[in-house]
Amino acid sequence: MEQQKKKRTGLVIALVACLALVGVAGVMAWYSSTSEITNNFVDGGITEPGTDPTDPNKPLKPDVTPDPEHNGHHGQVNGNIVENQWIANSKVTPGSSIPKNPNVGIGKNSDSCYVFVNVKNNFTSGAHFTLNNGWKAVQATQYNSQANEYTGGLFVYVGKDVAVNAGDAAILTANPTADSWTGEVFSKVKFDADAVLGNSKSIKVSAYLVAASNKTEQIDVAEITDAAKAWANKQ
């Protein structure tokens, strides 16, 4: 009988212990916690330049004075692209060389950025240009296997006064007090003596700018280059 009582006492103690564990588990559950952080991101703010790249004191407006020879005006502005040497309605002939100097700029309140330029050449053949220092071909058509000579394609800014084909990409750094410029992608379009001009006599220059305003962010240049290629293929 005494032995049976001990067994019962042991069983009660075991049950109490189990209930105590359940109670502790229940109490611990009340002290569980979760945490979360939500970060909001904003688009980079890339502003347009406001002054002529050759004269910081001159407002960025083309010279609308008619040119008697070409029946046009000097310069054109489209967003971040400036061509201050272009003359509207320039007449093209085989063997000629025509000023066309696309330069990409950002305003003083802009974010710093990577810069890509796509050149779409609609001439049949013979139209080409010399890629200036500070730029590198990404996917472009070389002209007659000549170094730095191209008929069109996608190009990336690699830094002021940097030799062609140096580096993968560079950031055009914004200036808090003035506009910033990449420098001319090329300065003129040249035509062979045997050039076939065709019917679509035009060259389209487009700019693709990727903001890089946060100095601590990690940007994969290969990824933004792939994005630029996808953009260029739609131009």
Side-chain angles (χ1 to χ4, degrees), residues 25-162:
V27 172
M28 290 176 67
W30 286 104
Y31 288 95
S32 297
S33 65
T34 60
S35 300
E36 63 180 26
I37 295 176
T38 301
N39 298 100
N40 296 319
F41 295 83
V42 297
D43 293 332
I46 299 175
T47 62
E48 298 175 1
T51 58
D52 191 299
T54 58
D55 185 355
N57 297 315
K58 182 179 179 181
L60 191 58
K61 294 181 180 179
D63 181 2
V64 295
T65 304
D67 183 282
E69 181 181 356
H70 300 89
N71 191 30
H73 59 264
H74 288 271
Q76 62 178 359
V77 179
N78 188 357
N80 295 86
I81 306 176
V82 176
E83 293 182 337
N84 60 4
Q85 296 299 315
W86 166 254
I87 298 177
N89 304 315
S90 292
K91 292 181 173 61
V92 180
T93 57
S96 63
S97 178
I98 297 177
K100 179 176 173 64
N101 60 330
N103 195 343
V104 182
I106 54 177
K108 61 183 180 180
N109 295 318
S110 179
D111 287 338
S112 298
C113 58
Y114 292 93
V115 181
F116 294 83
V117 165
N118 187 68
V119 181
K120 185 176 182 180
N121 185 348
N122 293 315
F123 282 89
T124 301
S125 68
H128 58 101
F129 55 86
T130 302
L131 188 67
N132 287 337
N133 285 351
W135 293 88
K136 177 182 178 180
V138 176
Q139 55 179 21
T141 303
Q142 200 166 19
Y143 175 73
N144 287 348
S145 300
Q146 296 182 23
N148 305 329
E149 294 289 326
Y150 296 92
T151 60
L154 178 65
F155 305 90
V156 62
Y157 173 67
V158 294
K160 290 184 180 297
D161 302 319
V162 176

